[in-house]
Amino acid sequence: MSAERAGHTSVVLDGKAVRDQILGELRVRVERLQKIRRPPGLAVVLAGRNPASEIYVRNKVKACEQLGIYSEKHTPPDTISTEELLAMVERLDAREEIDGILVQMPLPSQVEARRILTAIRPDKDVDGFHPVNVGNLVANLPGPRACTPSGIIELLKRYRIPIAGRHAVVVGRSDIVGKPMALLLLHENATVTICHSRTRELAAECRRADILVAAIGKPALITRDFVKPGAVVIDVGMNRLDDAQAAAIFGTTPARTLIGDAHPVQIPEIAGAYTPVPGGVGPLTIAMLMANTVRAAELHTGCCA
Ligand code: GUN
């Protein structure tokens, strides 16, 4: 059924607008820190030359500049060993003016990612990936939370989308998005289902969702058949398409080559609200990284904590 025939209008959840709101609130806190003590400091480590990671890191550094957060970028070669990267993290851990350390994922395959993430001091772990912070998340204790899922909760709250008592379905079980997303929704009193590559009857599971979060990394997997009419669809996917794939999804000449996990034509026709790609979830991840960095600086300086 087309949008017109159904008289259907769906709300576009504008991640850029929410990001700007969050950054506006953070700017005040950064100015206060600058005046009383020192600016927050973030170190970003990008090992190797993954093109997508390079764009993410560039945007993170740019957001720091816009907010007045001190940032530095470390770009070791993709041949770096686990021991060398550990030494780099330990040097950053020891520096007083560095409040947050972000090691961009994925790491080169020879690096033992788990050892790197565990070496970052939990109070400087602005990604919320350290096992101590994962434990705090599970126990619903204070601590930095993974940026993408916490950005999605901010988006839902600022659009006044109720979560408590709703059925949330999270598709994807990654440590970065799926698992922390499910826990944050649970702490907001949603009834939560986690689906993954071995889930049976995926479309039927998804159709039970009032809030559907797609974090799978498969372009346009979530089609109309996966969505209950009026549901909220949150699309975490960022997939690059070649021209043939884009033509298959958009029909005629390819309109776009960057799409999410949700079908960009069908979802607006059935969802009550949805996040676009780009411009939905992506900007929120960076806003929450900034929020985690400012919070870490407040705790480290004893200002406004
Ligand atoms: N790679 C994809 N998303 C993220 C993220 O939120 N943090 C880091 N460090 N790497 C990522």
Side-chain angles (χ1 to χ4, degrees):
M1 198 163 13
S2 79
E4 289 86 57
R5 265 186 289 142
H8 176 85
T9 51
S10 69
V11 175
V12 181
L13 302 170
D14 184 346
K16 289 185 187 169
V18 172
R19 170 199 61 195
D20 290 344
Q21 208 177 55
I22 294 169
L23 294 184
E25 293 159 13
L26 291 174
R27 192 164 284 116
V28 180
R29 290 163 64 188
V30 172
E31 282 165 5
R32 199 157 49 199
L33 279 160
Q34 279 168 334
K35 202 148 65 185
I36 303 177
R37 297 293 291 275
R38 59 167 177 76
L42 175 69
V44 180
V45 179
L46 171 61
R49 304 203 60 89
N50 178 319
S53 292
E54 284 185 358
I55 294 169
Y56 293 143
V57 164
R58 197 182 318 136
N59 289 335
K60 289 170 184 179
V61 170
K62 203 163 79 185
C64 286
E65 282 165 11
Q66 285 166 352
L67 266 187
I69 293 176
Y70 167 76
S71 73
E72 55 185 43
K73 190 167 102 176
H74 298 264
T75 53
D78 62 4
T79 51
I80 192 167
S81 68
T82 301
E83 302 305 328
E84 287 165 333
L85 199 48
L86 279 175
M88 180 178 281
V89 166
E90 278 157 20
R91 282 195 298 275
L92 295 167
D93 269 342
R95 283 173 53 195
E96 190 269 339
E97 77 281 18
I98 296 296
D99 296 295
I101 303 168
L102 179 142
V103 179
Q104 186 66 29
M105 299 287 134
L107 285 168
S109 55
Q110 78 279 6
V111 175
E112 294 170 74
R114 178 53 58 197
R115 284 179 66 199
I116 304 299
L117 296 180
T118 309
I120 298 171
R121 273 174 38 176
D123 58 293
K124 294 194 176 190
D125 166 37
V126 283
D127 261 325
F129 294 164
H130 190 287
V132 164
N133 289 325
V134 175
N136 285 332
L137 166 63
V138 173
N140 204 12
L141 293 170
R145 303 293 195 234
C147 300
T148 299
S150 63
I152 290 168
I153 297 288
E154 280 295 321
L155 181 79
L156 294 172
K157 287 186 172 174
R158 288 173 190 245
Y159 272 93
R160 299 185 191 285
I161 292 169
I163 306 174
R166 313 289 293 285
H167 195 132
V169 175
V170 179
V171 190
R173 54 174 155 179
S174 70
D175 292 336
I176 294 180
V177 181
K179 282 188 229 171
M181 184 77 258
L183 285 159
L184 289 175
L185 288 163
L186 179 65
H187 294 328
E188 297 293 334
N189 298 305
T191 301
V192 182
T193 301
I194 306 176
C195 297
H196 47 78
S197 52
R198 304 284 290 270
T199 296
R200 294 182 189 168
E201 309 289 351
L202 180 62
E205 292 291 346
C206 291
R207 271 199 306 275
R208 296 167 62 205
D210 302 305
I211 300 169
L212 178 62
V213 181
I216 324 128
K218 288 211 190 324
L221 178 88
I222 304 296
T223 53
R224 177 200 315 282
D225 308 343
F226 289 61
V227 180
K228 176 163 71 181
V232 176
V233 179
I234 305 293
D235 189 353
V236 184
M238 281 276 210
N239 308 292
R240 269 235 174 259
L241 302 184
D242 60 34
D243 284 352
Q245 289 172 310
I249 288 168
F250 288 103
T252 54
T253 43
R256 272 188 276 153
T257 53
L258 175 71
I259 71 161
D261 294 343
H263 196 292
V265 178
Q266 294 181 11
I267 296 312
E269 293 177 352
I270 191 161
Y274 69 97
T275 57
V277 175
V281 171
L284 296 170
T285 300
I286 294 183
M288 299 319 286
L289 172 68
M290 298 297 110
N292 283 348
T293 304
V294 172
R295 182 73 190 140
E298 288 171 347
L299 292 170
H300 288 148
T301 58
C303 289
C304 343

